[in-house]
Amino acid sequence: MHNLEIIIERIKERHQGDVHQLNAIFSPSKRLLIEAPAGYGKTNTMISKIAYMIATRKIPTPKKLLALTFSVNAAYKIKRDVTEQVPHLLGTTKEVSISNKVTVSNYHGFCRGVLKKYGYLLNPNLFNIDTFHSIDDSEEQKTQSIIETIPYEKALLLAQFNQELKKKNKTYIEENISVYCKIVLEYLTPKNYTTHNSILTLTKYLFELHPQVLSFYTKYYSALLVDEFQDTNILSFEILNLLITSETQVVLLGDSLQRIYGFIGAIENILNISSHKFNMETIKLEKNYRFSSNQEMLLLDNIIRENAKKTEKLTTDKECKIHLKIYPDQKTEAWNVARFTKQILEKYPNKKIAILVKQRNKNTNLIIEELDNQNVPYFYALFTDSDPDYILFHNICLEKFIDIISTRDIISKRSYLEHINFVKKSYSPASPNNYDSMILLLEAFWLKVFNEFSSFDNDEKIFYIKDTFEHYGLKQHIGSLNIDTIISTIHGAKGLEWDYIILPDMEQDSFPNYNGMCSSCNYRTDCNFTIDKENETKFLEELSVFYVAVTRAKNQVLFTASKFNYNNIKKNLSCFLKLPGIKYY
């Protein structure tokens, strides 16, 4: 048997006859879109696809495949999986590096690498971009106070650009991106400052001003793979558009029902847009492995997805019974949420539980009080990317890390201890709950650097650590904590799993929340709504959050609700629990 035939057999054995996964892996299509819901084997499919592309010489030497994803942690998990699993499929030893065939990064990491190498064409100081300080350009007053010499109107334009990006205002972004870059290059770059957006805007600006640099990257990366494609925003999509030529092989993986970052700019309907734009073959993964032995959860997954597909007429011939508890008021609901948590831990001491909420509110505070009253240990993870304490912690971590790598190139355990001790002394959050949580996350993160990513070279570790602090990514390491119970926002839980999920507040104005959908709904009297052109977008955005919350569970989801809220106002049961096919008892 030839080597390629052996590799094909290994891949077939790995996927155990899953026709849709194998079709995606062995597809000869130059442009492939793989729709992959949560738990449907996306990562395994992606790893085998990369191995097959290498085996069939779809990535000829000395060219490479560029694999991109949304978050820092997701990129490094892919890199670890590729490094460990692809050599096995190819029949080589794990010591053999495949870095000469595959580059894995998030968008910002890739663009920072471009600027470090060729940014001198815009400003010589960009060669030192690794030691730049990152600032938040969302508020002009803060930007001006940090960069004292920047005129207020320039800081205002930076803030407006950031807001229009979140609004997905493509026209504004296209008309103002060069102005934004010029402000950054004139006022920020000379002082060793950068912004989250400018890493991408400057790369686009560089590619357009110096097409020979872009030509090098489009030829060097003959294949492009993008994971979590549904989270792509306008700037990321612009970078992809520049990198994709008529010769580029393209593989996109995503799930439209997991697009929960619309509020920070993720493009609506990006999978369909790209399918038409790049003339892609679409293959949908069909088998749910996460719930393969749990018929109840499998049905719930299918019902939510069917309702998302048929918004013009919500319907399904399936029926699923869910576990729902309805209480007279939120204090009683909170007491029982804590009680259920305690009972599960006592009955199944090795199981993990997450209490997931849409956002922190008075009822969440009641749940926290009851967890404390009933002596249930938990990890507090109700911070968001915009939480001042959360941002402050990352800024302190980043500043100290930059100081360390400015004087010492090698990342060692001495660096870790020095960093931890400094941050412990320097961090004074407004909310005392945040201190212990942040320190635990930081310690878990450093342990991951030295354990899971020990095979990475020093420069890769520096990139990883800096990217995590710069992009507020510590919450992505919640899953590394050895803690049985966590209370978190749903957005903070994306990409993670627990044995049991408790979803409280399943009532009107809470889930979906008032700002997200309920305030503009015409069906507030009974919450039995009809989808139309006016509410379809908001419905799908909120349903995506609901789907992500449900699919964090490996064993079971328990829903709870209250008849009256904390202001003693009567509330209807959430419209999501009235979707066709969902029955409760």
Side-chain angles (χ1 to χ4, degrees):
M1 200 180 285
H2 295 296
N3 190 43
L4 178 58
E5 294 174 324
I6 295 172
I7 292 170
I8 290 173
E9 286 304 313
R10 284 197 194 104
I11 291 173
K12 286 181 177 179
E13 182 180 354
R14 174 186 173 95
H15 294 271
Q16 299 181 343
D18 188 314
V19 175
H20 300 284
Q21 289 185 6
L22 293 172
N23 284 345
I25 294 162
F26 298 135
S27 170
S29 177
K30 195 173 182 179
R31 301 289 167 86
L32 181 63
L33 173 61
I34 303 174
E35 291 192 23
Y40 281 58
K42 178 191 67 175
T43 301
N44 278 341
T45 303
M46 177 172 54
I47 296 300
S48 295
K49 182 68 176 178
I50 292 173
Y52 185 68
M53 291 174 74
I54 294 173
T56 53
R57 304 185 187 278
K58 293 287 180 66
I59 313 166
T61 304
K63 298 184 178 184
K64 296 179 73 173
L65 176 145
L66 174 62
L68 294 172
T69 191
F70 176 69
S71 72
V72 180
N73 196 44
Y76 280 86
K77 283 170 66 178
I78 293 171
K79 186 178 181 70
R80 182 193 62 205
D81 290 341
V82 167
T83 303
E84 293 178 354
Q85 298 179 40
V86 170
H88 169 70
L89 289 172
L90 296 178
T92 60
T93 62
K94 288 191 176 182
E95 287 74 22
V96 176
S97 172
I98 63 161
S99 60
N100 63 330
K101 283 294 182 186
V102 182
T103 297
V104 183
S105 183
N106 63 319
Y107 293 107
H108 282 79
F110 166 74
C111 289
R112 184 184 288 108
V114 173
L115 294 175
K116 185 177 181 180
K117 193 169 185 178
Y118 294 105
Y120 71 89
L121 295 169
L122 299 177
N123 186 301
N125 206 32
L126 283 170
F127 180 78
N128 302 311
I129 194 169
D130 283 351
T131 57
F132 275 23
H133 299 274
S134 181
I135 62 169
D136 180 6
D137 61 356
S138 61
E139 295 182 36
E140 57 275 13
Q141 293 91 347
K142 287 183 180 178
T143 302
Q144 193 180 38
S145 66
I146 296 171
I147 314 295
E148 295 176 358
T149 57
I150 187 171
Y152 180 78
E153 66 273 11
K154 304 296 185 184
L156 180 64
L157 195 146
L158 294 181
Q160 186 175 356
F161 186 91
N162 186 60
Q163 290 302 313
E164 296 302 324
L165 179 63
K166 290 179 179 179
K167 295 177 183 176
K168 303 176 278 290
N169 188 341
K170 189 172 185 292
T171 301
Y172 180 91
I173 299 303
E174 289 176 345
E175 292 176 352
N176 291 275
I177 192 168
S178 61
V179 177
Y180 182 92
C181 289
K182 289 173 183 177
I183 293 172
V184 171
L185 290 169
E186 182 176 354
Y187 295 100
L188 275 61
T189 304
K191 294 192 172 186
N192 292 349
Y193 281 101
T194 186
T195 67
H196 180 76
N197 294 323
S198 67
I199 302 294
L200 272 63
T201 62
L202 289 177
T203 303
K204 175 176 164 59
Y205 195 50
L206 171 67
F207 282 162
E208 292 175 342
L209 288 181
H210 300 278
Q212 72 277 16
V213 176
L214 174 61
S215 178
F216 163 75
Y217 280 99
T218 56
K219 290 176 181 176
Y220 186 54
Y221 292 114
S222 62
L224 183 66
L225 181 148
V226 185
D227 188 27
E228 300 291 351
F229 186 64
Q230 75 278 351
D231 294 325
T232 304
N233 71 2
I234 290 174
L235 291 181
S236 302
F237 198 48
E238 288 295 317
I239 297 296
L240 293 178
N241 273 308
L242 289 169
L243 291 172
I244 295 173
T245 70
S246 59
E247 300 301 315
T248 311
Q249 297 177 76
V250 183
V251 180
L252 306 177
L253 301 100
D255 177 20
S256 57
L257 198 49
Q258 293 187 72
R259 189 188 73 89
I260 66 171
Y261 292 110
F263 67 100
I264 58 172
I267 301 171
E268 296 170 18
N269 207 24
I270 184 70
L271 270 66
N272 285 337
I273 291 171
S274 300
S275 178
H276 293 297
K277 180 178 179 64
F278 301 120
N279 191 27
M280 308 196 78
E281 175 193 3
T282 299
I283 295 178
K284 299 179 181 181
L285 303 187
E286 299 286 352
K287 186 174 180 180
N288 188 324
Y289 290 89
R290 183 176 299 171
F291 302 144
S292 58
S293 59
N294 188 331
Q295 188 64 22
E296 189 174 275
M297 289 298 296
L298 185 63
L299 272 170
L300 182 57
D301 177 277
N302 290 339
I303 285 168
I304 295 173
R305 298 195 69 83
E306 283 194 17
N307 279 288
K309 291 176 185 175
K310 303 174 182 177
T311 53
E312 70 282 355
K313 186 178 180 182
L314 299 182
T315 180
T316 176
D317 58 359
K318 298 181 176 68
E319 182 176 302
C320 171
K321 290 184 178 180
I322 62 170
H323 298 264
L324 170 67
K325 300 285 187 179
I326 304 176
Y327 298 98
D329 54 64
Q330 293 200 309
K331 187 168 180 59
T332 308
E333 180 184 359
W335 186 89
N336 278 282
V337 167
R339 182 174 67 90
F340 291 144
T341 304
K342 193 171 185 177
Q343 287 177 339
I344 292 170
L345 292 174
E346 289 172 351
K347 188 173 182 179
Y348 308 108
N350 296 321
K351 299 297 184 181
K352 304 291 184 183
I353 305 168
I355 302 166
L356 301 183
V357 298
K358 195 79 188 307
Q359 64 281 309
R360 180 163 184 172
N361 55 29
K362 291 182 179 179
N363 191 37
T364 313
N365 294 338
L366 289 173
I367 293 172
I368 291 171
E369 287 178 14
E370 285 300 334
L371 289 170
D372 291 332
N373 292 339
Q374 298 184 38
N375 298 314
V376 180
Y378 63 92
F379 179 80
Y380 179 93
L382 289 170
F383 34 78
T384 65
D385 285 349
S386 59
D387 188 316
D389 281 351
Y390 187 69
I391 292 172
L392 172 65
F393 187 79
H394 283 78
N395 287 342
I396 293 171
C397 289
L398 180 62
E399 294 293 320
K400 182 57 182 175
F401 183 69
I402 289 174
D403 288 343
I404 290 172
I405 62 174
S406 296
T407 57
R408 192 183 316 129
D409 289 337
I410 304 300
I411 302 302
S412 64
K413 292 201 174 180
R414 178 186 168 191
S415 308
Y416 150 66
L417 293 172
E418 181 183 339
H419 190 266
I420 286 280
N421 289 333
F422 177 86
V423 173
K424 283 181 177 179
K425 295 174 183 176
S426 305
Y427 183 52
S428 298
S431 171
N433 285 325
N434 283 333
Y435 182 86
D436 290 340
S437 295
M438 292 294 103
I439 298 300
L440 283 172
L441 277 177
L442 182 60
E443 290 174 340
F445 170 68
W446 272 110
L447 287 175
K448 181 175 280 191
V449 170
F450 288 115
N451 294 330
E452 291 187 37
F453 301 118
S454 59
S455 62
F456 290 3
D457 64 35
N458 194 66
D459 285 344
E460 288 175 324
K461 288 176 183 174
I462 289 175
F463 268 124
Y464 179 45
I465 296 166
K466 192 170 185 294
D467 272 352
T468 298
F469 295 150
E470 200 167 60
H471 301 131
Y472 313 133
L474 282 174
K475 67 182 181 183
Q476 296 170 18
H477 299 276
I478 289 173
S480 301
L481 298 169
N482 187 25
I483 295 175
D484 292 332
T485 304
I486 178 174
I487 181 164
S488 170
T489 62
I490 295 166
H491 284 85
K494 189 173 186 289
L496 303 173
E497 295 178 356
W498 291 268
D499 297 293
Y500 291 90
I501 296 295
I502 299 176
L503 290 181
D505 294 345
M506 292 304 301
E507 64 256 353
Q508 171 190 3
D509 293 332
S510 292
F511 204 145
N513 66 18
Y514 181 81
N515 293 326
M517 183 173 160
C518 293
S519 60
S520 58
C521 183
N522 296 321
Y523 302 89
R524 292 175 58 82
T525 54
D526 62 2
C527 294
N528 286 303
F529 61 93
T530 300
I531 300 299
D532 54 38
K533 290 183 179 179
E534 292 183 6
N535 64 15
E536 181 179 24
T537 298
K538 286 188 175 181
F539 166 70
L540 287 173
E541 286 181 350
E542 292 290 304
L543 186 66
S544 295
V545 179
F546 181 62
Y547 178 73
V548 166
V550 167
T551 53
R552 297 314 90 205
K554 292 188 285 186
N555 289 359
Q556 192 59 259
V557 180
L558 173 65
F559 301 91
T560 69
S562 305
K563 292 182 179 179
F564 290 86
N565 70 0
Y566 36 76
N567 293 320
N568 204 33
I569 298 174
K570 187 175 175 58
K571 293 294 179 181
N572 295 319
L573 189 65
S574 169
C575 52
F576 291 147
L577 299 187
K578 301 176 182 178
L579 289 172
I582 294 181
K583 306 295 179 184
Y584 51 87
Y585 59 91

